[in-house]
mmCIF file of all heavy atoms in Angstrom:
data_model
loop_
_atom_site.group_PDB
_atom_site.id
_atom_site.type_symbol
_atom_site.label_atom_id
_atom_site.label_comp_id
_atom_site.label_asym_id
_atom_site.label_seq_id
_atom_site.Cartn_x
_atom_site.Cartn_y
_atom_site.Cartn_z
ATOM 1 N N ARG A 1 121.008 51.856 33.776
ATOM 2 C CA ARG A 1 120.417 51.765 32.437
ATOM 3 C C ARG A 1 121.000 52.818 31.514
ATOM 4 O O ARG A 1 121.333 52.537 30.366
ATOM 5 C CB ARG A 1 118.895 51.911 32.513
ATOM 6 C CG ARG A 1 118.201 51.578 31.196
ATOM 7 C CD ARG A 1 116.737 51.947 31.194
ATOM 8 N NE ARG A 1 116.500 53.372 31.331
ATOM 9 C CZ ARG A 1 116.705 54.259 30.349
ATOM 10 N NH1 ARG A 1 117.179 53.890 29.196
ATOM 11 N NH2 ARG A 1 116.447 55.539 30.549
ATOM 12 N N GLN A 2 121.172 54.030 32.006
ATOM 13 C CA GLN A 2 121.744 55.101 31.189
ATOM 14 C C GLN A 2 123.200 54.798 30.839
ATOM 15 O O GLN A 2 123.625 54.984 29.699
ATOM 16 C CB GLN A 2 121.654 56.445 31.924
ATOM 17 C CG GLN A 2 122.136 57.608 31.084
ATOM 18 C CD GLN A 2 121.335 57.774 29.800
ATOM 19 O OE1 GLN A 2 120.116 57.852 29.841
ATOM 20 N NE2 GLN A 2 122.009 57.820 28.672
ATOM 21 N N ALA A 3 123.973 54.318 31.798
ATOM 22 C CA ALA A 3 125.377 53.991 31.548
ATOM 23 C C ALA A 3 125.512 52.874 30.517
ATOM 24 O O ALA A 3 126.382 52.926 29.638
ATOM 25 C CB ALA A 3 126.067 53.597 32.855
ATOM 26 N N LEU A 4 124.645 51.872 30.594
ATOM 27 C CA LEU A 4 124.685 50.775 29.625
ATOM 28 C C LEU A 4 124.279 51.258 28.242
ATOM 29 O O LEU A 4 124.883 50.877 27.238
ATOM 30 C CB LEU A 4 123.781 49.626 30.079
ATOM 31 C CG LEU A 4 124.258 48.873 31.320
ATOM 32 C CD1 LEU A 4 123.195 47.886 31.781
ATOM 33 C CD2 LEU A 4 125.585 48.170 31.060
ATOM 34 N N SER A 5 123.286 52.097 28.177
ATOM 35 C CA SER A 5 122.858 52.669 26.903
ATOM 36 C C SER A 5 123.993 53.472 26.265
ATOM 37 O O SER A 5 124.216 53.406 25.057
ATOM 38 C CB SER A 5 121.630 53.543 27.125
ATOM 39 O OG SER A 5 121.200 54.105 25.920
ATOM 40 N N ASP A 6 124.735 54.210 27.086
ATOM 41 C CA ASP A 6 125.839 55.032 26.596
ATOM 42 C C ASP A 6 126.968 54.214 25.974
ATOM 43 O O ASP A 6 127.696 54.719 25.121
ATOM 44 C CB ASP A 6 126.409 55.905 27.723
ATOM 45 C CG ASP A 6 125.453 57.002 28.165
ATOM 46 O OD1 ASP A 6 124.447 57.259 27.448
ATOM 47 O OD2 ASP A 6 125.701 57.596 29.236
ATOM 48 N N VAL A 7 127.136 52.947 26.395
ATOM 49 C CA VAL A 7 128.197 52.110 25.822
ATOM 50 C C VAL A 7 127.686 51.168 24.738
ATOM 51 O O VAL A 7 128.425 50.308 24.266
ATOM 52 C CB VAL A 7 128.984 51.324 26.897
ATOM 53 C CG1 VAL A 7 129.717 52.264 27.831
ATOM 54 C CG2 VAL A 7 128.098 50.353 27.659
ATOM 55 N N GLY A 8 126.411 51.297 24.362
ATOM 56 C CA GLY A 8 125.910 50.549 23.224
ATOM 57 C C GLY A 8 125.039 49.350 23.509
ATOM 58 O O GLY A 8 124.724 48.583 22.598
ATOM 59 N N VAL A 9 124.622 49.161 24.744
ATOM 60 C CA VAL A 9 123.729 48.047 25.063
ATOM 61 C C VAL A 9 122.330 48.407 24.574
ATOM 62 O O VAL A 9 121.798 49.463 24.902
ATOM 63 C CB VAL A 9 123.716 47.757 26.589
ATOM 64 C CG1 VAL A 9 122.671 46.722 26.935
ATOM 65 C CG2 VAL A 9 125.099 47.306 27.035
ATOM 66 N N MET A 10 121.750 47.522 23.771
ATOM 67 C CA MET A 10 120.449 47.792 23.153
ATOM 68 C C MET A 10 119.267 47.330 23.990
ATOM 69 O O MET A 10 118.151 47.789 23.792
ATOM 70 C CB MET A 10 120.372 47.105 21.785
ATOM 71 C CG MET A 10 121.339 47.644 20.796
ATOM 72 S SD MET A 10 120.899 49.337 20.408
ATOM 73 C CE MET A 10 122.315 49.839 19.495
ATOM 74 N N GLY A 11 119.473 46.406 24.902
ATOM 75 C CA GLY A 11 118.368 45.915 25.700
ATOM 76 C C GLY A 11 118.850 45.118 26.886
ATOM 77 O O GLY A 11 119.985 44.642 26.904
ATOM 78 N N LEU A 12 117.998 44.986 27.887
ATOM 79 C CA LEU A 12 118.321 44.184 29.053
ATOM 80 C C LEU A 12 117.033 43.723 29.695
ATOM 81 O O LEU A 12 115.958 44.263 29.439
ATOM 82 C CB LEU A 12 119.177 44.959 30.063
ATOM 83 C CG LEU A 12 118.522 46.101 30.816
ATOM 84 C CD1 LEU A 12 118.994 46.078 32.266
ATOM 85 C CD2 LEU A 12 118.944 47.419 30.198
ATOM 86 N N THR A 13 117.142 42.724 30.528
ATOM 87 C CA THR A 13 116.018 42.188 31.273
ATOM 88 C C THR A 13 116.244 42.485 32.745
ATOM 89 O O THR A 13 117.352 42.297 33.250
ATOM 90 C CB THR A 13 115.895 40.666 31.065
ATOM 91 O OG1 THR A 13 115.711 40.418 29.672
ATOM 92 C CG2 THR A 13 114.727 40.085 31.840
ATOM 93 N N VAL A 14 115.214 42.963 33.429
ATOM 94 C CA VAL A 14 115.304 43.300 34.844
ATOM 95 C C VAL A 14 114.299 42.465 35.620
ATOM 96 O O VAL A 14 113.125 42.391 35.249
ATOM 97 C CB VAL A 14 115.013 44.802 35.084
ATOM 98 C CG1 VAL A 14 115.094 45.143 36.565
ATOM 99 C CG2 VAL A 14 115.956 45.666 34.271
ATOM 100 N N SER A 15 114.761 41.841 36.700
ATOM 101 C CA SER A 15 113.888 41.059 37.582
ATOM 102 C C SER A 15 114.073 41.531 39.013
ATOM 103 O O SER A 15 115.193 41.832 39.427
ATOM 104 C CB SER A 15 114.245 39.574 37.529
ATOM 105 O OG SER A 15 114.206 39.082 36.216
ATOM 106 N N GLU A 16 112.987 41.581 39.769
ATOM 107 C CA GLU A 16 113.086 41.869 41.194
ATOM 108 C C GLU A 16 113.404 40.566 41.906
ATOM 109 O O GLU A 16 112.712 39.557 41.721
ATOM 110 C CB GLU A 16 111.773 42.455 41.714
ATOM 111 C CG GLU A 16 111.479 43.826 41.158
ATOM 112 C CD GLU A 16 110.177 44.415 41.692
ATOM 113 O OE1 GLU A 16 109.534 43.792 42.569
ATOM 114 O OE2 GLU A 16 109.819 45.495 41.215
ATOM 115 N N VAL A 17 114.461 40.596 42.718
ATOM 116 C CA VAL A 17 114.894 39.408 43.445
ATOM 117 C C VAL A 17 115.175 39.787 44.891
ATOM 118 O O VAL A 17 115.222 40.963 45.246
ATOM 119 C CB VAL A 17 116.149 38.770 42.795
ATOM 120 C CG1 VAL A 17 115.839 38.263 41.397
ATOM 121 C CG2 VAL A 17 117.311 39.741 42.760
ATOM 122 N N LYS A 18 115.363 38.785 45.722
ATOM 123 C CA LYS A 18 115.771 38.990 47.112
ATOM 124 C C LYS A 18 116.928 38.067 47.401
ATOM 125 O O LYS A 18 116.994 36.957 46.865
ATOM 126 C CB LYS A 18 114.618 38.682 48.074
ATOM 127 C CG LYS A 18 113.476 39.652 47.973
ATOM 128 C CD LYS A 18 112.403 39.299 48.971
ATOM 129 C CE LYS A 18 111.247 40.264 48.834
ATOM 130 N NZ LYS A 18 110.218 40.012 49.836
ATOM 131 N N GLY A 19 117.823 38.509 48.247
ATOM 132 C CA GLY A 19 118.952 37.672 48.603
ATOM 133 C C GLY A 19 119.799 38.330 49.665
ATOM 134 O O GLY A 19 119.454 39.382 50.200
ATOM 135 N N TYR A 20 120.912 37.696 49.965
ATOM 136 C CA TYR A 20 121.861 38.283 50.890
ATOM 137 C C TYR A 20 123.251 37.791 50.553
ATOM 138 O O TYR A 20 123.432 36.775 49.888
ATOM 139 C CB TYR A 20 121.515 37.972 52.354
ATOM 140 C CG TYR A 20 121.715 36.518 52.731
ATOM 141 C CD1 TYR A 20 122.932 36.078 53.224
ATOM 142 C CD2 TYR A 20 120.689 35.608 52.591
ATOM 143 C CE1 TYR A 20 123.117 34.750 53.562
ATOM 144 C CE2 TYR A 20 120.847 34.288 52.938
ATOM 145 C CZ TYR A 20 122.075 33.859 53.421
ATOM 146 O OH TYR A 20 122.260 32.556 53.753
ATOM 147 N N GLY A 21 124.215 38.540 50.989
ATOM 148 C CA GLY A 21 125.616 38.182 50.818
ATOM 149 C C GLY A 21 126.299 38.322 52.160
ATOM 150 O O GLY A 21 125.772 37.894 53.180
ATOM 151 N N ARG A 22 127.433 38.983 52.163
ATOM 152 C CA ARG A 22 128.172 39.159 53.412
ATOM 153 C C ARG A 22 127.409 39.953 54.455
ATOM 154 O O ARG A 22 127.620 39.788 55.640
ATOM 155 C CB ARG A 22 129.501 39.866 53.123
ATOM 156 C CG ARG A 22 130.458 38.999 52.371
ATOM 157 C CD ARG A 22 131.771 39.711 52.194
ATOM 158 N NE ARG A 22 132.668 38.876 51.409
ATOM 159 C CZ ARG A 22 133.812 39.288 50.939
ATOM 160 N NH1 ARG A 22 134.209 40.521 51.141
ATOM 161 N NH2 ARG A 22 134.558 38.468 50.234
ATOM 162 N N GLN A 23 126.510 40.843 54.010
ATOM 163 C CA GLN A 23 125.795 41.675 54.979
ATOM 164 C C GLN A 23 124.768 40.883 55.776
ATOM 165 O O GLN A 23 124.299 41.336 56.801
ATOM 166 C CB GLN A 23 125.148 42.886 54.288
ATOM 167 C CG GLN A 23 123.813 42.614 53.649
ATOM 168 C CD GLN A 23 123.877 42.107 52.217
ATOM 169 O OE1 GLN A 23 124.900 41.624 51.752
ATOM 170 N NE2 GLN A 23 122.769 42.190 51.523
ATOM 171 N N LYS A 24 124.367 39.705 55.317
ATOM 172 C CA LYS A 24 123.441 38.806 56.015
ATOM 173 C C LYS A 24 122.129 39.489 56.390
ATOM 174 O O LYS A 24 121.576 39.279 57.451
ATOM 175 C CB LYS A 24 124.088 38.241 57.281
ATOM 176 C CG LYS A 24 125.364 37.499 57.060
ATOM 177 C CD LYS A 24 125.101 36.115 56.555
ATOM 178 C CE LYS A 24 126.354 35.276 56.623
ATOM 179 N NZ LYS A 24 126.864 34.888 55.356
ATOM 180 N N GLY A 25 121.617 40.334 55.528
ATOM 181 C CA GLY A 25 120.368 41.026 55.818
ATOM 182 C C GLY A 25 120.628 42.237 56.700
ATOM 183 O O GLY A 25 121.754 42.668 56.865
ATOM 184 N N HIS A 26 119.564 42.786 57.282
ATOM 185 C CA HIS A 26 119.704 43.951 58.142
ATOM 186 C C HIS A 26 118.483 44.079 59.052
ATOM 187 O O HIS A 26 117.491 43.382 58.883
ATOM 188 C CB HIS A 26 119.889 45.223 57.308
ATOM 189 C CG HIS A 26 118.719 45.548 56.445
ATOM 190 N ND1 HIS A 26 118.503 44.964 55.221
ATOM 191 C CD2 HIS A 26 117.669 46.393 56.638
ATOM 192 C CE1 HIS A 26 117.386 45.444 54.694
ATOM 193 N NE2 HIS A 26 116.863 46.305 55.520
ATOM 194 N N SER A 27 118.591 44.967 60.030
ATOM 195 C CA SER A 27 117.479 45.228 60.955
ATOM 196 C C SER A 27 116.726 46.471 60.503
ATOM 197 O O SER A 27 117.329 47.422 60.004
ATOM 198 C CB SER A 27 118.000 45.467 62.371
ATOM 199 O OG SER A 27 118.615 44.309 62.858
ATOM 200 N N GLU A 28 115.426 46.462 60.673
ATOM 201 C CA GLU A 28 114.593 47.620 60.387
ATOM 202 C C GLU A 28 113.628 47.822 61.537
ATOM 203 O O GLU A 28 113.298 46.878 62.259
ATOM 204 C CB GLU A 28 113.806 47.435 59.081
ATOM 205 C CG GLU A 28 114.638 47.542 57.840
ATOM 206 C CD GLU A 28 113.794 47.568 56.570
ATOM 207 O OE1 GLU A 28 112.551 47.566 56.661
ATOM 208 O OE2 GLU A 28 114.395 47.583 55.494
ATOM 209 N N ILE A 29 113.181 49.060 61.687
ATOM 210 C CA ILE A 29 112.178 49.369 62.698
ATOM 211 C C ILE A 29 110.900 49.765 61.975
ATOM 212 O O ILE A 29 110.909 50.630 61.110
ATOM 213 C CB ILE A 29 112.659 50.500 63.627
ATOM 214 C CG1 ILE A 29 113.903 50.040 64.385
ATOM 215 C CG2 ILE A 29 111.549 50.907 64.582
ATOM 216 C CD1 ILE A 29 114.529 51.097 65.262
ATOM 217 N N TYR A 30 109.807 49.099 62.299
ATOM 218 C CA TYR A 30 108.515 49.376 61.700
ATOM 219 C C TYR A 30 107.496 49.539 62.821
ATOM 220 O O TYR A 30 107.299 48.622 63.622
ATOM 221 C CB TYR A 30 108.106 48.246 60.752
ATOM 222 C CG TYR A 30 106.770 48.454 60.092
ATOM 223 C CD1 TYR A 30 106.603 49.434 59.131
ATOM 224 C CD2 TYR A 30 105.670 47.683 60.456
ATOM 225 C CE1 TYR A 30 105.371 49.635 58.524
ATOM 226 C CE2 TYR A 30 104.438 47.869 59.859
ATOM 227 C CZ TYR A 30 104.296 48.848 58.892
ATOM 228 O OH TYR A 30 103.072 49.055 58.305
ATOM 229 N N ARG A 31 106.891 50.708 62.896
ATOM 230 C CA ARG A 31 105.909 51.019 63.941
ATOM 231 C C ARG A 31 106.436 50.715 65.332
ATOM 232 O O ARG A 31 105.759 50.120 66.179
ATOM 233 C CB ARG A 31 104.595 50.293 63.685
ATOM 234 C CG ARG A 31 103.906 50.766 62.427
ATOM 235 C CD ARG A 31 102.522 50.212 62.305
ATOM 236 N NE ARG A 31 101.887 50.769 61.118
ATOM 237 C CZ ARG A 31 100.683 50.492 60.735
ATOM 238 N NH1 ARG A 31 99.949 49.638 61.428
ATOM 239 N NH2 ARG A 31 100.168 51.034 59.652
ATOM 240 N N GLY A 32 107.694 51.069 65.533
ATOM 241 C CA GLY A 32 108.307 50.927 66.850
ATOM 242 C C GLY A 32 108.875 49.560 67.160
ATOM 243 O O GLY A 32 109.523 49.382 68.187
ATOM 244 N N ALA A 33 108.644 48.592 66.301
ATOM 245 C CA ALA A 33 109.162 47.242 66.548
ATOM 246 C C ALA A 33 110.333 46.967 65.609
ATOM 247 O O ALA A 33 110.271 47.250 64.417
ATOM 248 C CB ALA A 33 108.065 46.211 66.328
ATOM 249 N N GLU A 34 111.403 46.421 66.165
ATOM 250 C CA GLU A 34 112.572 46.073 65.354
ATOM 251 C C GLU A 34 112.433 44.633 64.864
ATOM 252 O O GLU A 34 112.006 43.751 65.603
ATOM 253 C CB GLU A 34 113.855 46.206 66.177
ATOM 254 C CG GLU A 34 115.112 45.974 65.365
ATOM 255 C CD GLU A 34 116.382 46.226 66.156
ATOM 256 O OE1 GLU A 34 116.303 46.697 67.298
ATOM 257 O OE2 GLU A 34 117.449 45.938 65.616
ATOM 258 N N TYR A 35 112.751 44.434 63.595
ATOM 259 C CA TYR A 35 112.719 43.072 63.066
ATOM 260 C C TYR A 35 113.853 42.886 62.058
ATOM 261 O O TYR A 35 114.391 43.832 61.511
ATOM 262 C CB TYR A 35 111.360 42.743 62.432
ATOM 263 C CG TYR A 35 111.003 43.584 61.229
ATOM 264 C CD1 TYR A 35 111.214 43.111 59.944
ATOM 265 C CD2 TYR A 35 110.452 44.859 61.374
ATOM 266 C CE1 TYR A 35 110.897 43.879 58.834
ATOM 267 C CE2 TYR A 35 110.131 45.635 60.278
ATOM 268 C CZ TYR A 35 110.355 45.135 59.017
ATOM 269 O OH TYR A 35 110.036 45.904 57.925
ATOM 270 N N GLU A 36 114.228 41.638 61.868
ATOM 271 C CA GLU A 36 115.327 41.287 60.968
ATOM 272 C C GLU A 36 114.801 41.050 59.553
ATOM 273 O O GLU A 36 113.806 40.348 59.376
ATOM 274 C CB GLU A 36 116.037 40.012 61.437
ATOM 275 C CG GLU A 36 116.895 40.199 62.657
ATOM 276 C CD GLU A 36 118.108 41.069 62.395
ATOM 277 O OE1 GLU A 36 118.767 40.887 61.344
ATOM 278 O OE2 GLU A 36 118.384 41.941 63.238
ATOM 279 N N VAL A 37 115.469 41.641 58.588
ATOM 280 C CA VAL A 37 115.176 41.390 57.184
ATOM 281 C C VAL A 37 116.292 40.477 56.677
ATOM 282 O O VAL A 37 117.421 40.918 56.488
ATOM 283 C CB VAL A 37 115.125 42.702 56.371
ATOM 284 C CG1 VAL A 37 114.882 42.406 54.903
ATOM 285 C CG2 VAL A 37 114.059 43.629 56.916
ATOM 286 N N ALA A 38 115.990 39.197 56.521
ATOM 287 C CA ALA A 38 117.012 38.223 56.149
ATOM 288 C C ALA A 38 117.359 38.299 54.665
ATOM 289 O O ALA A 38 118.499 38.063 54.279
ATOM 290 C CB ALA A 38 116.547 36.813 56.504
ATOM 291 N N PHE A 39 116.386 38.631 53.829
ATOM 292 C CA PHE A 39 116.618 38.719 52.391
ATOM 293 C C PHE A 39 116.394 40.163 51.951
ATOM 294 O O PHE A 39 115.324 40.719 52.143
ATOM 295 C CB PHE A 39 115.695 37.771 51.627
ATOM 296 C CG PHE A 39 116.003 36.325 51.897
ATOM 297 C CD1 PHE A 39 115.244 35.614 52.810
ATOM 298 C CD2 PHE A 39 117.060 35.703 51.262
ATOM 299 C CE1 PHE A 39 115.526 34.292 53.071
ATOM 300 C CE2 PHE A 39 117.349 34.380 51.527
ATOM 301 C CZ PHE A 39 116.589 33.676 52.423
ATOM 302 N N VAL A 40 117.426 40.734 51.360
ATOM 303 C CA VAL A 40 117.404 42.133 50.965
ATOM 304 C C VAL A 40 116.891 42.246 49.529
ATOM 305 O O VAL A 40 117.317 41.483 48.655
ATOM 306 C CB VAL A 40 118.832 42.722 51.068
ATOM 307 C CG1 VAL A 40 118.848 44.182 50.685
ATOM 308 C CG2 VAL A 40 119.364 42.528 52.477
ATOM 309 N N PRO A 41 115.984 43.194 49.241
ATOM 310 C CA PRO A 41 115.505 43.372 47.869
ATOM 311 C C PRO A 41 116.624 43.875 46.958
ATOM 312 O O PRO A 41 117.361 44.792 47.318
ATOM 313 C CB PRO A 41 114.416 44.435 47.995
ATOM 314 C CG PRO A 41 114.201 44.678 49.430
ATOM 315 C CD PRO A 41 115.338 44.100 50.181
ATOM 316 N N LYS A 42 116.746 43.262 45.799
ATOM 317 C CA LYS A 42 117.747 43.632 44.801
ATOM 318 C C LYS A 42 117.102 43.546 43.426
ATOM 319 O O LYS A 42 115.981 43.077 43.277
ATOM 320 C CB LYS A 42 118.942 42.663 44.825
ATOM 321 C CG LYS A 42 119.654 42.532 46.146
ATOM 322 C CD LYS A 42 120.569 43.681 46.406
ATOM 323 C CE LYS A 42 121.329 43.416 47.698
ATOM 324 N NZ LYS A 42 122.519 44.169 47.804
ATOM 325 N N LEU A 43 117.838 43.977 42.416
ATOM 326 C CA LEU A 43 117.431 43.790 41.028
ATOM 327 C C LEU A 43 118.468 42.919 40.339
ATOM 328 O O LEU A 43 119.669 43.067 40.567
ATOM 329 C CB LEU A 43 117.331 45.129 40.296
ATOM 330 C CG LEU A 43 116.241 46.079 40.772
ATOM 331 C CD1 LEU A 43 116.290 47.368 39.963
ATOM 332 C CD2 LEU A 43 114.869 45.451 40.682
ATOM 333 N N ARG A 44 117.988 42.035 39.486
ATOM 334 C CA ARG A 44 118.866 41.179 38.680
ATOM 335 C C ARG A 44 118.744 41.650 37.236
ATOM 336 O O ARG A 44 117.651 41.634 36.661
ATOM 337 C CB ARG A 44 118.434 39.723 38.793
ATOM 338 C CG ARG A 44 119.249 38.787 37.941
ATOM 339 C CD ARG A 44 118.691 37.380 38.037
ATOM 340 N NE ARG A 44 119.357 36.513 37.106
ATOM 341 C CZ ARG A 44 119.791 35.303 37.410
ATOM 342 N NH1 ARG A 44 119.602 34.819 38.612
ATOM 343 N NH2 ARG A 44 120.387 34.575 36.504
#
């Protein structure tokens, strides 16, 4: 946001999204159990 403001962008829209690309998600450990996160949180 700061970099865009510095080059003259006056406004933008931000949405929380989930998806995956080449990384195909990732594994996480929660309370000792490992599980696959197929869709990674991103911002659009």
Side-chain angles (χ1 to χ4, degrees):
R1 190 190 64 74
Q2 184 60 53
L4 291 172
S5 180
D6 291 347
V7 296
V9 173
M10 295 294 170
L12 69 140
T13 300
V14 179
S15 304
E16 293 181 5
V17 296
K18 293 181 181 184
Y20 70 90
R22 290 184 183 171
Q23 83 272 19
K24 302 281 192 246
H26 63 278
S27 296
E28 287 189 3
I29 297 176
Y30 180 70
R31 295 189 177 180
E34 185 175 354
Y35 63 98
E36 287 292 316
V37 177
F39 293 99
V40 181
K42 303 282 185 159
L43 294 179
R44 177 184 173 135

